[in-house]
Amino acid sequence: MVKVGDEVSNKQVIFRDYVIGSPKESDMYLTTGTIKLKVPEGSNAVLVKNLSICPPVFGYGVAKVLDSGHPELKAGDLVWGITGWEEYTLITKTTDTLIKIQHTDVPLSYYTGILGMPGMTAYAGFYEVGTPKKGEYVFVSAASGAVGQLIGQFAKLEGCYVVGSAGSKEKVDLLKNKLGFDEAFNYKEEHDLNAALKRYFPEGIDVYFEHVGGKMLDAVLLNMRHHGRIAVCGMISQYNLDKPEGIKNLLHIGFKWIQMKGFTHRNYYHLYPKFLDLVLPYIREKKMVYVEDLVEGLESGPAALVGLFSGRNFGKQVVVVACE
Amino acid sequence: MVKVGDEVSNKQVIFRDYVIGSPKESDMYLTTGTIKLKVPEGSNAVLVKNLSICPPVFGYGVAKVLDSGHPELKAGDLVWGITGWEEYTLITKTTDTLIKIQHTDVPLSYYTGILGMPGMTAYAGFYEVGTPKKGEYVFVSAASGAVGQLIGQFAKLEGCYVVGSAGSKEKVDLLKNKLGFDEAFNYKEEHDLNAALKRYFPEGIDVYFEHVGGKMLDAVLLNMRHHGRIAVCGMISQYNLDKPEGIKNLLHIGFKWIQMKGFTHRNYYHLYPKFLDLVLPYIREKKMVYVEDLVEGLESGPAALVGLFSGRNFGKQVVVVACE
């Protein structure tokens, strides 16, 4: 059992260099450094033991405070926020990046997912940007992922009709059978995305939660309804292309008075308490579920990250680093 | 002098067929029909004499009521709204398309421009969609046109910094010397629009009023600031292309939390009284000016319409059909 002040070994995943294109496992390596389990004298830093982390390097994670110079955090507290891809992290930028966990009757890993950054992303994107109304038509791409699965469930709870797209039969089954989507399809099996959307949305789409960009966005623009809203969370299909694909149907924004809005969960943290008030009861009453793809051990991290870019993950990818 | 019930000749501009690509003068012809100056018994239609009209065929115009079955309009009233490209028009769809002119101390043609549809477009786009704040950076394309010149003046009146682009030296001079834009440039002389925008907006753009689409939009996206707003009124550079140009920099919507919103003046008519309260004093106190490109006679209409697509007009294009 480690204690404050100990100097201990610290396993870390390190990137060799700036990555161009999708990351490969060979872009990363595992190393072991040492860390002193103590915050510097007079700082308001926090020294944490990481429990669960998300694959992206400056990822979000759940951690336990071992030592703290921060006035509102003390040893033993559980927190979620931006941490490191390692066993122990000295977090010096604590402003806005660490939130104390108040409710522990739910799985702790949920604070990397439904109750953490992806949850806030889904909440802000769906409610604040998407401004859904009962009976509206909602489309979600990357629908079985960390955020998409929540959008679908929020949409159903609000009385919307919701269709998701994903990249395998298993994910499509998950959407329809476990997550309650009205319909779902495998975009890899549709050679004409416009036709697919017309099939699932004969009346058009009111709210689109944009994760992928490219051809899917072009097809969606053709199928949006007047006054539709597109919440842009990311366009992962485009990040690692040398040149992004051109979007050809943007004219529809003007024709159909569509709102397309980029956003980040970070702009909405003032709503976190309101968000918890909504979601915690849903979790406790089993009105919402959350599908996690848990892998064990920091050394599984690089493969998990690489898998995200090819859609290999099944639900929210979480790397479990340690038990509490 | 004509009177109600007369059957009179009615000069009209007619389109030969559905136009593909930019319209040519040969797509239209002038003809003379006859019209009875009386609304059908029991209808709530309005029979008007057109005074000034805008070139687009189902264009907006200013007209004088000759006969009316409408409860709120009577012979002698001046109105603006959707009328026909002819001397006299029987307007049967009066809902939302005809607004009674209450203030005649300003030029009547203004109701085809600053006080009509372009004015409402500029007002809604700038204030309601653009939500400008004092000190922000505003960019307007097609800046000397019917709407653009108003955006620039609204922006200055709100304490913003505003730059406009236009397609000739004369228009650039107009923007800088008469319309009060802080800067203006001729986009035809800039081989690198991104570099041009960086020069005029070293701090980036907060509000972009989108008229043109295509390469200009791509350059603007690169130069938008975080939380920027793009009000999409139209993308005239793209309407008559076989295939629209692809927009490559849409990723910035997600990166910089940009809002891009299409709109139409028609969604904002409830604000017309508020709009008049703002703009009429500005006109009377000469705090706003409006540049019109007036041509005389219905027969000048086809050339004026063709000119709009090549940017030949200088200010708001108006066809003066008749005197009051």
Side-chain angles (χ1 to χ4, degrees):
Chain A
M1 182 71 179
V2 299
K3 60 182 195 300
V4 175
D6 283 358
E7 181 137 336
V8 298
S9 72
N10 190 21
K11 232 187 300 180
Q12 302 174 297
V13 174
I14 305 281
F15 266 75
R16 287 180 203 282
D17 208 345
Y18 183 80
V19 176
I20 295 163
S22 297
K24 302 179 296 295
E25 284 191 55
S26 59
D27 291 327
M28 297 162 261
Y29 64 95
L30 206 70
T31 185
T32 303
T34 58
I35 187 168
K36 190 169 177 186
L37 300 182
K38 191 158 182 37
V39 299
E41 204 67 49
S43 85
N44 67 350
V46 175
L47 194 295
V48 300
K49 178 185 180 188
N50 292 310
L51 304 178
S52 299
I53 56 174
C54 306
V57 183
F58 294 105
Y60 284 75
V62 170
K64 186 172 191 169
V65 175
L66 298 185
D67 190 26
S68 171
H70 191 281
E72 287 162 30
L73 294 170
K74 62 179 193 305
D77 282 349
L78 292 164
V79 291
W80 73 268
I82 295 177
T83 179
W85 217 3
E86 55 193 354
E87 289 179 290
Y88 301 97
T89 304
L90 177 69
I91 301 174
T92 51
K93 289 189 200 159
T94 48
T95 331
D96 288 340
T97 61
L98 277 189
I99 294 183
K100 188 173 163 177
I101 292 174
Q102 311 274 6
H103 307 273
T104 54
D105 60 327
V106 294
L108 266 188
S109 60
Y110 275 18
Y111 289 95
T112 68
I114 185 171
L115 295 174
M117 186 268 274
M120 274 304 291
T121 302
Y123 178 78
F126 185 65
Y127 287 99
E128 299 293 315
V129 183
T131 59
K133 288 183 278 293
K134 191 175 170 180
E136 284 194 324
Y137 300 96
V138 177
F139 177 55
V140 191
S141 55
S144 70
V147 178
Q149 56 174 300
L150 298 175
I151 302 283
Q153 295 180 78
F154 283 145
K156 287 317 299 172
L157 289 162
E158 294 300 319
C160 299
Y161 174 86
V162 62
V163 178
S165 68
S168 75
K169 182 182 180 309
E170 291 71 26
K171 291 179 182 178
V172 167
D173 288 345
L174 177 76
L175 294 175
K176 291 204 281 195
N177 302 330
K178 179 150 188 184
L179 295 169
F181 283 67
D182 293 291
E183 288 288 350
F185 65 92
N186 181 351
Y187 69 90
K188 291 178 181 169
E189 289 182 350
E190 301 287 346
H191 66 279
D192 182 343
L193 291 172
N194 178 27
L197 291 174
K198 288 215 173 348
R199 202 163 69 231
Y200 291 108
F201 294 99
E203 309 283 336
I205 300 166
D206 293 297
V207 179
Y208 172 50
F209 197 90
E210 166 66 311
H211 260 123
V212 300
K215 290 182 181 61
M216 185 64 93
L217 176 57
D218 249 340
V220 166
L221 284 165
L222 290 177
N223 288 282
M224 288 298 288
R225 302 181 86 186
H226 279 81
H227 297 287
R229 287 84 67 200
I230 300 179
V232 179
C233 162
M235 298 187 183
I236 199 170
S237 75
Q238 305 297 298
Y239 290 157
N240 298 307
L241 301 180
D242 287 345
K243 278 187 182 178
E245 296 173 86
I247 299 296
K248 299 194 191 321
N249 297 325
L250 221 51
L251 284 174
H252 289 258
I253 293 203
F255 294 159
K256 295 187 291 199
W257 324 322
I258 294 165
Q259 176 182 295
M260 188 167 179
K261 185 172 176 170
F263 73 98
T264 167
H265 55 94
R266 294 201 296 281
N267 299 338
Y268 294 93
Y269 272 110
H270 57 286
L271 300 178
Y272 189 66
K274 195 177 155 197
F275 162 73
L276 284 183
D277 287 348
L278 179 80
V279 174
L280 277 171
Y282 283 155
I283 295 173
R284 290 174 184 141
E285 296 160 20
K286 305 207 188 310
K287 289 186 180 162
M288 286 187 84
V289 295
Y290 198 59
V291 180
E292 296 177 315
D293 188 340
L294 300 176
V295 298
E296 297 273 335
L298 205 56
E299 52 282 3
S300 315
L305 174 61
V306 171
L308 275 184
F309 282 82
S310 62
R312 204 194 299 153
N313 57 306
F314 195 80
K316 163 66 180 167
Q317 182 76 73
V318 182
V319 179
V320 178
V321 182
C323 293
E324 199 186 331
Chain B
M1 184 70 181
V2 299
K3 58 182 195 304
V4 174
D6 284 358
E7 180 137 338
V8 299
S9 72
N10 190 21
K11 232 186 303 182
Q12 300 174 299
V13 175
I14 306 281
F15 265 74
R16 287 181 203 281
D17 208 344
Y18 183 80
V19 176
I20 295 164
S22 296
K24 301 179 296 296
E25 284 190 55
S26 59
D27 291 327
M28 297 161 261
Y29 64 96
L30 206 70
T31 186
T32 302
T34 57
I35 187 168
K36 190 173 178 183
L37 300 182
K38 191 157 182 38
V39 299
E41 204 69 45
S43 85
N44 66 351
V46 175
L47 193 295
V48 301
K49 178 185 181 188
N50 292 310
L51 305 178
S52 299
I53 57 173
C54 307
V57 183
F58 294 105
Y60 284 75
V62 170
K64 187 172 190 167
V65 176
L66 298 185
D67 189 26
S68 171
H70 191 281
E72 287 162 30
L73 294 171
K74 61 179 195 304
D77 282 348
L78 293 165
V79 292
W80 72 267
I82 296 177
T83 179
W85 218 4
E86 54 193 355
E87 288 178 290
Y88 300 96
T89 304
L90 177 70
I91 302 174
T92 51
K93 291 188 199 160
T94 48
T95 331
D96 288 340
T97 61
L98 277 189
I99 295 183
K100 187 173 165 180
I101 292 173
Q102 310 276 6
H103 306 274
T104 54
D105 61 326
V106 293
L108 266 188
S109 59
Y110 276 17
Y111 289 93
T112 68
I114 185 170
L115 295 174
M117 184 270 272
M120 274 304 291
T121 302
Y123 178 77
F126 186 63
Y127 286 100
E128 297 295 314
V129 183
T131 60
K133 288 183 277 294
K134 191 176 171 180
E136 284 194 324
Y137 300 97
V138 177
F139 177 54
V140 191
S141 55
S144 70
V147 178
Q149 55 174 300
L150 298 175
I151 303 283
Q153 295 180 78
F154 284 145
K156 288 315 299 173
L157 288 162
E158 293 301 319
C160 298
Y161 174 86
V162 61
V163 178
S165 68
S168 74
K169 182 181 179 308
E170 291 67 28
K171 290 178 181 177
V172 167
D173 289 345
L174 176 75
L175 294 174
K176 291 204 282 194
N177 301 330
K178 180 153 186 183
L179 295 169
F181 282 67
D182 293 291
E183 288 288 350
F185 64 91
N186 181 349
Y187 70 90
K188 292 179 180 168
E189 290 183 348
E190 302 286 345
H191 66 280
D192 181 344
L193 291 172
N194 178 28
L197 291 174
K198 287 216 175 344
R199 201 162 70 231
Y200 290 109
F201 294 99
E203 310 283 335
I205 299 166
D206 294 295
V207 179
Y208 172 49
F209 197 89
E210 167 66 311
H211 259 122
V212 299
K215 289 182 181 63
M216 185 65 92
L217 175 57
D218 249 340
V220 165
L221 283 165
L222 290 177
N223 288 281
M224 288 300 285
R225 302 181 86 185
H226 279 80
H227 298 286
R229 286 85 68 198
I230 299 179
V232 180
C233 163
M235 298 188 181
I236 199 171
S237 76
Q238 306 296 299
Y239 290 155
N240 297 307
L241 301 179
D242 286 344
K243 281 188 180 177
E245 296 173 85
I247 299 297
K248 299 195 192 317
N249 296 324
L250 222 52
L251 284 174
H252 288 259
I253 291 200
F255 294 159
K256 294 186 292 198
W257 321 323
I258 294 166
Q259 175 184 296
M260 189 165 177
K261 185 171 177 172
F263 72 97
T264 166
H265 55 93
R266 294 200 297 279
N267 299 339
Y268 295 92
Y269 271 112
H270 56 287
L271 300 178
Y272 189 65
K274 196 176 153 197
F275 161 74
L276 284 183
D277 286 348
L278 180 80
V279 174
L280 278 171
Y282 283 155
I283 295 173
R284 289 171 184 143
E285 296 160 19
K286 302 205 189 312
K287 288 185 180 164
M288 286 186 85
V289 296
Y290 197 61
V291 180
E292 296 176 313
D293 188 340
L294 301 175
V295 297
E296 298 272 334
L298 204 58
E299 52 281 4
S300 316
L305 174 62
V306 171
L308 274 184
F309 282 82
S310 60
R312 205 196 297 153
N313 59 307
F314 195 78
K316 162 65 181 168
Q317 182 78 72
V318 182
V319 179
V320 178
V321 181
C323 293
E324 199 185 328

